[in-house]
Amino acid sequence: MADMNNKSSAQAIRDMLPDETEIYNLAELFKMFGDPTRAKILKCLQIRDLYVGEIADILDMTVSAVSHQLRVLRSAKLVKGTKEGKEVKYSLDDDHVTKILEYGLTHVNEQK
């Protein structure tokens, strides 16, 4: 009887899981935060909206390297760009990105 309850319990939990596409997309999202350079760019943009050149100066990187990472972050819908004249000013895409960063840092700092 206990085995029967375990199987029904396992099935009940299985039924509550997101589908494979959602799980894959979640894993891909967290990969974006797995790169230290992208994490630094996100933290900079959490402080304030910035141009590519400003981010490059702050992080002591080339504009090309920052632009590449911003493209990756834009494709993941973590940052957005707003054209201002000939330049693009970048910002976090929405409040969810800020929350992910805050929760992640809180978790990391609790481990100290």
Side-chain angles (χ1 to χ4, degrees), residues 2-3 6 8-9 20 26-28 32 35 38 43 47 49 54 63-64 66 72 74 79 83 89-90 93 96 105:
D3 191 39
N6 285 342
S8 63
S9 177
E20 288 299 316
L26 179 63
E28 289 298 306
M32 293 297 114
D35 179 275
R38 288 193 292 263
K43 283 303 296 176
I47 295 166
D49 299 355
E54 292 176 311
V63 168
S64 175
V66 171
V72 172
R74 269 179 46 182
V79 302
K83 193 132 174 110
K89 190 172 238 184
Y90 287 89
D93 191 72
H96 295 118
L105 282 172

Side-chain angles (χ1 to χ4, degrees), residues 20-36:
E20 288 299 316
T21 301
E22 286 177 299
I23 290 292
Y24 175 82
N25 290 338
L26 179 63
E28 289 298 306
L29 171 68
F30 281 112
K31 280 184 189 178
M32 293 297 114
F33 293 92
D35 179 275

Side-chain angles (χ1 to χ4, degrees), residues 17-71:
L17 293 175
D19 67 33
E20 288 299 316
T21 301
E22 286 177 299
I23 290 292
Y24 175 82
N25 290 338
L26 179 63
E28 289 298 306
L29 171 68
F30 281 112
K31 280 184 189 178
M32 293 297 114
F33 293 92
D35 179 275
T37 299
R38 288 193 292 263
K40 286 179 195 174
I41 291 170
L42 291 169
K43 283 303 296 176
C44 287
L45 294 175
Q46 186 179 12
I47 295 166
R48 76 174 175 89
D49 299 355
L50 296 163
Y51 297 103
V52 177
E54 292 176 311
I55 298 168
D57 286 344
I58 293 164
L59 300 180
D60 197 25
M61 294 174 62
T62 65
V63 168
S64 175
V66 171
S67 292
H68 169 73
Q69 295 300 338
L70 286 167
R71 271 193 300 280

